[in-house]
Amino acid sequence: MSDGSIGRPRIVAIVNQKGGVGKTTTAINLGAALAEAGKKVAVIDLDPQGNASTGLGIEAEDRDRTTYDLILEGMDLIDVLQGTRIPNLFVVPATADLSSADVEMLSKGHRTALLKEALDPEKIDAIGLDFIFIDCPPSLSLLTINAMVAADSVLVPLQSEFFALEGLSQLMVTVREVRQSANPKLGIEGIVLTMYDGRNKLAQGVQADARDTLGELVFQTIIPRNVRVSEAPSYAQPVTEYDPVSKGSIAYRALADEFVARHRA
């Protein structure tokens, strides 16, 4: 449980250059599970599609202040945060305006550090957040690099499918490059296996390969392929609210527990 003290939040970039692997789903549902457990969490929607914003119930007409304003207009985090229907869970929404951000950033000399500057501890510590999750777009774009430069760590959803580990190796190269050039403290929060079907031999093989290759970086908790998880965004709700007793909800609560336990160790 959050003790209510004011301090620096842990900033976690949720990253995978492949689409459809569960980045946004993880940002929404891990955030909601942590909030349910008493943590104060913000999700920064860094994807121009704005799916995390939609999934947390922020209608398009209600996105007056957005991630674009945070990064390119110099607004403070406190001024762009919006509450959600989940107590303790906040979001900085995104709109299609963010799609031009990569081009606009190119004209700025500190273009890879714009989000880091926006999340400077002196600007955000008084808000009292425990965690900030950055939901990245499905590419290793300048927006994603900004997230890595700003973050303490990266959390990687890994879909249990063919070529999953090949894509992961490419991502790890990028993480290493960011460490060497702009953020030497960037860590790997962990790898989360998503959309897992235990009846599928390929999924079993991906899990075995991931654990053999990456060891304890892979969370013990596995997110199953679950229809309730898929349905929840269409109702603008985390699965923990949409169907609190579903297998997906149970899995994300277990992931939240494991996530917090890693930081107690």
Side-chain angles (χ1 to χ4, degrees):
M1 298 288 286
S2 175
D3 61 8
S5 61
I6 294 175
R8 185 174 185 275
R10 184 165 184 82
I11 302 172
V12 180
I14 301 179
V15 183
N16 193 317
Q17 70 269 35
K18 294 183 68 176
V21 300
K23 286 189 300 296
T24 298
T25 301
T26 298
I28 291 171
N29 293 305
L30 178 57
L34 287 165
E36 187 181 85
K39 300 297 182 182
K40 192 173 180 182
V41 182
V43 174
I44 296 178
D45 192 345
L46 204 63
D47 189 339
Q49 296 177 85
N51 290 335
S53 308
T54 302
L56 287 170
I58 309 300
E59 300 288 347
E61 60 268 22
D62 296 326
R63 302 177 197 180
D64 296 326
R65 296 177 176 179
T66 67
T67 309
Y68 180 95
D69 297 309
L70 178 70
I71 296 175
L72 287 162
E73 297 295 336
M75 281 193 179
D76 290 338
L77 180 64
I78 190 67
D79 294 324
V80 295
L81 274 180
Q82 290 192 36
T84 70
R85 57 194 293 167
I86 309 297
N88 293 321
L89 183 59
F90 304 84
V91 62
V92 181
T95 66
D97 289 350
L98 199 58
S99 60
S100 66
D102 270 19
V103 174
E104 294 181 51
M105 286 177 180
L106 290 174
S107 65
K108 298 184 181 293
H110 54 313
R111 56 184 174 268
T112 62
L114 294 171
L115 184 55
K116 180 180 181 179
E117 292 174 4
L119 299 179
D120 183 274
E122 291 187 5
K123 296 181 181 180
I124 68 171
D125 283 359
I127 301 173
L129 295 166
D130 293 300
F131 299 104
I132 295 174
F133 292 129
I134 307 171
D135 183 32
C136 294
S139 64
L140 295 177
S141 64
L142 195 47
L143 283 170
T144 300
I145 299 302
N146 261 263
M148 291 187 182
V149 172
D152 298 302
S153 59
V154 297
L155 178 65
V156 185
L158 187 71
Q159 188 176 359
S160 305
E161 63 172 16
F162 198 60
F163 290 140
L165 291 176
E166 180 179 294
L168 181 61
S169 65
Q170 296 167 357
L171 176 58
M172 293 302 186
V173 168
T174 303
V175 170
R176 186 164 61 246
E177 291 172 348
V178 170
R179 279 180 183 152
Q180 293 170 348
S181 62
N183 185 3
K185 296 181 179 180
L186 181 65
I188 306 296
E189 189 71 37
I191 313 298
V192 181
L193 292 167
T194 62
M195 306 179 195
Y196 184 83
D197 183 349
R199 301 166 298 180
N200 186 315
K201 288 187 178 179
L202 175 58
Q204 295 171 15
V206 170
Q207 179 186 189
D209 287 348
R211 295 196 188 280
D212 288 345
T213 305
L214 299 162
E216 293 184 356
L217 282 178
V218 183
F219 281 88
Q220 289 301 310
T221 304
I222 295 172
I223 307 301
R225 188 174 291 279
N226 178 246
V227 67
R228 295 304 199 190
V229 172
S230 301
E231 289 173 350
S234 64
Y235 292 88
Q237 294 176 299
V239 70
T240 51
E241 183 183 36
Y242 174 65
D243 187 346
V245 298
S246 68
K247 290 182 179 179
S249 294
I250 292 167
Y252 274 110
R253 289 195 190 98
L255 180 62
D257 289 343
E258 188 177 353
F259 181 88
V260 171
R262 287 190 173 200
H263 293 288
R264 290 198 192 108

